[in-house]
Amino acid sequence: MTDSQKQPMPETKKLLFLNRKAPYGSSLPREALDAVLMASAFGQQITLVFLEDGVFQLKKQQDPSAIEMKNFSKTFAALEMYGVSAVFVEQNSIQQRGLTLDDLLIPAQLIQSDALSLMLERQDQVLSF
């Protein structure tokens, strides 16, 4: 194979996923997680931020059986296998909902609103779910 026949390597992009929705009110939270795993499988640099009611996506001991929905929270454990380690929870959101980092399924870092604004500016693309 000559150099002209080789396929160019895709460029790595910095993608930030904003997760704003409660885990079982719509399909968006599950779709966001699927998109994160797919993008990371293609070698993209992923950052996850949970804010507003999205912080509930990471809450331990979820049981959506009463509303007849499938619990997808265990899938968050796959993030580490996919190399996704930049996981943040917006500080005001978690505090307003009475949660702490100990209440979460996976390790996450607190981020304040002003630091989040700076982080958003440094991304190639921001996807909001």
Side-chain angles (χ1 to χ4, degrees), residues 89-109:
V89 178
E90 198 271 324
Q91 186 170 0
N92 289 334
S93 296
I94 196 170
Q95 288 175 342
Q96 289 171 354
R97 284 150 184 86
L99 299 174
T100 68
L101 292 177
D102 290 335
D103 296 318
L104 305 182
L105 294 162
I106 59 173
Q109 300 173 55

Side-chain angles (χ1 to χ4, degrees), residues 23-25 61-73:
Y24 302 105
Q61 300 175 341
Q62 297 178 27
D63 182 11
S65 61
I67 57 172
E68 298 182 10
M69 297 213 48
K70 185 177 179 183
N71 186 344
F72 69 91
S73 65

Side-chain angles (χ1 to χ4, degrees), residues 35-64:
V36 164
L37 295 175
M38 185 170 48
S40 64
F42 284 98
Q44 302 307 306
Q45 184 180 337
I46 306 296
T47 301
L48 279 171
V49 178
F50 295 86
L51 64 157
E52 300 167 2
D53 285 342
V55 299
F56 289 123
Q57 293 180 36
L58 295 181
K59 188 174 181 310
K60 291 177 183 173
Q61 300 175 341
Q62 297 178 27
D63 182 11

